[in-house]
Amino acid sequence: MRIAALDIATVCGFAFGDAGAIPQSGSVRLKRPGEPPEIAAFNMRAFLRDRFTLERFDMLAIEHFLNPAAQKSADAVILQIMCFGVAVAEGMARGMRIEAPYPSTVRKHFLGRANMGERKETKAAVLNRAKALGYVPRDCCDDNRADACALFDYAAATYARVPPRDLVFFGEAANV
């Protein structure tokens, strides 16, 4: 099963690949500071249209948007919901299965706990776990990319029911 995983925010993390494999991952800035959320929605569509034209995916896994009451600003709420809708529409237009687990559910799977206290510590734990599992390079500091890899891992294990093919500990693959 080919999975496209997206962590939607102003900087959108992505992880694309076969369930059980190390995905291609990264992040893309959807808008500059001060630009309206509509720019992010347009850029999200362009990014996904181009990517989904080049590659076929069976599933689109997107972190479910946060409760608007928990957001810092109205613009953050609007951006997240607009981009979420764009991603769902692009996936549906291509016949993908759409799954939207809550971020806390993904982190519980990936870390064993839904959070590590403060937001900063939780983001750092996800990044460190992604490094330990070989999803991102050891020198990576992109927490959006790490969040997308965590979502990819969750989707592969939960929906595709495929365990990772390669087990990586301390930067080296283990023979299992």
Side-chain angles (χ1 to χ4, degrees):
M1 174 181 281
R2 302 245 335 128
I3 300 170
L6 299 173
D7 173 46
I8 297 174
T10 301
V11 177
C12 178
F14 64 86
F16 300 141
D18 292 315
I22 300 294
Q24 176 194 19
S25 64
S27 61
V28 60
R29 177 170 288 284
L30 297 177
K31 75 175 198 73
R32 292 185 197 105
E35 290 182 327
E38 294 83 5
I39 298 295
F42 176 81
N43 288 332
M44 172 65 88
R45 183 187 181 269
F47 172 67
L48 294 179
R49 179 203 60 219
D50 293 349
R51 200 55 198 246
F52 294 167
T53 299
L54 294 173
E55 292 182 73
R56 184 188 175 288
F57 294 95
D58 303 300
M59 176 188 293
L60 176 59
I62 314 167
E63 277 192 350
H64 199 285
F65 52 87
L66 296 173
N67 183 325
Q71 295 287 348
K72 295 182 222 173
S73 71
D75 279 348
V77 172
I78 293 166
L79 181 141
Q80 198 172 35
I81 291 174
M82 287 177 83
C83 290
F84 185 91
V86 166
V88 168
E90 286 292 323
M92 289 178 76
R94 288 163 176 77
M96 293 179 190
R97 174 181 174 181
I98 310 291
E99 296 292 345
Y102 288 96
S104 59
T105 304
V106 172
R107 289 191 306 266
K108 172 90 181 200
H109 159 82
F110 201 62
L111 301 174
R113 291 173 49 186
N115 70 63
M116 301 303 197
E118 297 295 321
R119 183 176 187 274
K120 185 177 178 180
E121 286 81 19
T122 302
K123 288 281 196 184
V126 172
L127 181 59
N128 289 334
R129 179 77 171 151
K131 288 177 185 180
L133 294 175
Y135 281 123
V136 298
R138 305 290 279 154
D139 61 348
C140 178
C141 58
D142 185 350
D143 57 46
N144 297 297
R145 180 179 181 182
D147 287 343
C149 288
L151 179 57
F152 178 90
D153 187 87
Y154 176 83
T158 305
Y159 305 120
R161 300 187 185 268
V162 175
R165 290 187 196 134
D166 298 318
L167 184 59
V168 179
F169 284 112
F170 308 108
E172 296 185 18
N175 296 326
V176 239

